[in-house]
Amino acid sequence: MKLNKIGRGTLASIVSLAVGLGLTACSRDYTLAYVYVTNAKPASAGSTDGTVSAFAVDYQIGSLVPLADSPLPAGKNPVALVSSPDSQNLYVVNHDDSTVMHFAIGTDGKLYLKETTNITGSLPTAVAIDAAGKFLYVTFTYQLGPNGQQLYSPASPGPGGVTVFSIDSSGKLSPVSTVNVGNNPVAIAVSRQATIASSNTTLAYVYVVDQEAQPNATVLGFTQNVSTGALTPTPGTVITTVAGKTVATGYNAGIAPSSVAIDPSTRYVYVTDQAANQLYGYGIGTGGALVPLLSSPYTTGLYPSSVTIDPRGKYMYVTNFSSNSVSAYAIDTATGSPSGSVGSTSTTVATNPTCSAVDPALGIYLYVSNNKDGSVSGMKLDPHNGTLKQVQNSPFPTGSLPTCLTVVANGSHPNQLIIQ
């Protein structure tokens, strides 16, 4: 597999220019990026609707400043969110409503609700968008029957799936297909696009974490058709129908896999196992097949809940829900193996961290949503070794029971472009 046709020297120049331009722009605009946080419930007692909190990131110190009109209403129990690559749209997934809310992002970072769209299943769990911003993928717990009838329940589990949405030039969603997967999909990630030199075709890979009961916990791999958004199982992933039910098998991911991340070079995939307190690493082989790294799995803190990789592809961060910490790892770019020496002493955050993200503008600030504490922790990462240091005034109060967050570059600050 050969990545798109830009030389390393040119890429390095683009990255250097982006950082330089970002710093120059920051001298006139003190907002580096915006942080958006989904909150399961607002502070008012008795309400079941969630909210979205919005913050501006101060470029000098990384502190968060709440935006006017924040928080905004969301659906019932929002659990995940993702922004478009052009930083103009935000998509929020509501678990109990089985909907996706589309917000336009204003030039001032404020959110404007455009529409709410139903998914093709029930109880969604995670969301991802492709690098071109053309397709949105939402995992859901249960398939629906005719006329939207609920066929399955926790007592009678059935196939979960992935709703594939096309995205038009305004950011509007339209469901185009549904892919059935295992009985409990909980996380999804889409790789950057790559060009296959032998056939001169462009594609991307999609990986879904299926948290079924042992021994069926697995990672499922798919090839994305970049023109239609359709998903085709990669070698090693098999999805069949047995006695009227979908059965999915893929790559071993431990006992209870909980999150997934793909490195920017599209060479490695990492999956956390919250039951065994481990991190699994894979190389991406021919056709998107996953090959376990020689030293995998790796130790994490207690109950790892999410994994994220910095835009340079050099460092990886795992939030540990029960340890109230973030573990830092340096990634060996030649082998994909993460070394815990960078984060041998984990960085403490507030209570029950759920989700993390690195700012895409300069790639130096990491933010973590803390569920029980109702806050966001902000940290600055050292670009030379990946270590973390709390930013001033961290943690920052948000809504009640924050579930996840994302960071969107301010329009005056270019996103980093890193391909190794």
Side-chain angles (χ1 to χ4, degrees):
M1 183 175 71
K2 179 182 178 183
L3 290 175
N4 284 328
K5 306 169 184 178
I6 304 179
R8 291 189 179 182
T10 302
L11 284 168
S13 299
I14 292 173
V15 171
S16 299
L17 178 62
V19 173
L21 288 174
L23 289 172
T24 301
C26 286
S27 65
R28 300 189 300 271
D29 182 351
Y30 288 90
T31 298
L32 173 70
Y34 299 102
V35 174
Y36 301 102
V37 187
T38 49
N39 309 296
K41 288 190 290 187
S44 57
S47 175
T48 58
D49 289 341
T51 60
V52 180
S53 298
F55 302 87
V57 177
D58 183 289
Y59 91 97
Q60 289 182 313
I61 59 175
S63 61
L64 299 184
V65 179
L67 297 184
D69 302 327
S70 173
L72 292 175
K76 297 185 186 302
N77 192 15
V79 293
L81 72 172
V82 69
S83 63
S84 59
D86 62 7
S87 303
Q88 294 184 10
N89 300 283
L90 183 75
Y91 302 96
V92 174
V93 171
N94 301 302
H95 179 269
D96 297 356
D97 286 347
S98 299
T99 60
V100 181
M101 300 175 75
H102 166 213
F103 294 90
I105 301 175
T107 55
D108 56 359
K110 291 183 180 179
L111 299 178
Y112 302 89
L113 179 63
K114 306 299 289 185
E115 68 270 328
T116 300
T117 306
N118 292 325
I119 65 168
T120 58
S122 64
L123 307 183
T125 54
V127 62
I129 194 168
D130 71 342
K134 294 177 59 178
F135 298 100
L136 188 81
Y137 297 89
V138 180
T139 56
F140 59 81
T141 308
Y142 301 124
Q143 181 184 6
L144 295 179
N147 301 317
Q149 179 185 6
Q150 179 69 64
L151 296 178
Y152 304 100
S153 68
S156 178
V162 179
T163 300
V164 182
F165 293 95
S166 63
I167 306 173
D168 70 13
S169 58
S170 69
K172 182 179 175 61
L173 300 177
S174 298
V176 293
S177 62
T178 300
V179 179
N180 287 346
V181 295
N183 286 350
N184 193 20
V186 296
I188 187 169
V190 183
S191 77
R192 293 178 184 268
Q193 293 183 0
T195 297
I196 306 301
S198 58
S199 60
N200 197 32
T201 57
T202 301
L203 52 76
Y205 298 119
V206 177
Y207 296 98
V208 175
V209 171
D210 181 16
Q211 196 187 78
E212 294 190 52
Q214 278 289 83
N216 297 320
T218 188
V219 179
L220 307 173
F222 300 89
T223 298
Q224 181 213 31
N225 182 312
V226 298
S227 298
T228 67
L231 301 181
T232 303
T234 62
T237 294
V238 179
I239 299 177
T240 58
T241 300
V242 177
K245 290 190 175 183
T246 299
V247 177
T249 58
Y251 312 98
N252 175 55
I255 301 172
S258 51
S259 64
V260 59
I262 305 171
D263 87 303
S265 70
T266 314
R267 291 184 293 172
Y268 308 113
V269 174
Y270 302 92
V271 175
T272 55
D273 179 355
Q274 63 189 20
N277 304 322
Q278 292 181 328
L279 173 73
Y280 283 79
Y282 313 84
I284 299 179
T286 303
L290 295 183
V291 181
L293 300 181
L294 291 177
S295 49
S296 177
Y298 314 92
T299 301
T300 67
L302 299 178
Y303 208 82
S305 53
S306 73
V307 56
T308 191
I309 300 173
D310 85 303
R312 303 171 185 84
K314 295 176 63 177
Y315 307 112
M316 180 162 47
Y317 301 93
V318 174
T319 56
N320 304 301
F321 184 85
S322 296
S323 295
N324 303 326
S325 65
V326 176
S327 299
Y329 304 84
I331 300 174
D332 185 321
T333 56
T335 67
S337 296
S339 170
S341 59
V342 171
S344 56
T345 301
S346 295
T347 302
T348 299
V349 292
T351 310
N352 297 154
T354 54
C355 199
S356 65
V358 179
D359 86 87
L362 298 181
I364 60 173
Y365 296 116
L366 174 76
Y367 298 95
V368 176
S369 54
N370 304 302
N371 185 260
K372 190 172 182 180
D373 187 66
S375 69
V376 173
S377 293
M379 288 157 281
K380 184 175 182 179
L381 65 94
D382 188 324
H384 301 292
N385 57 29
T387 55
L388 299 173
K389 182 179 180 181
Q390 298 280 353
V391 304
Q392 185 175 329
N393 300 321
S394 179
F396 305 93
T398 183
S400 176
L401 302 178
T403 53
C404 202
L405 56 73
T406 191
V407 188
V408 179
N410 186 2
S412 61
H413 301 273
N415 288 341
Q416 291 205 17
L417 174 60
I418 308 294
I419 302 178
Q420 297 175 335

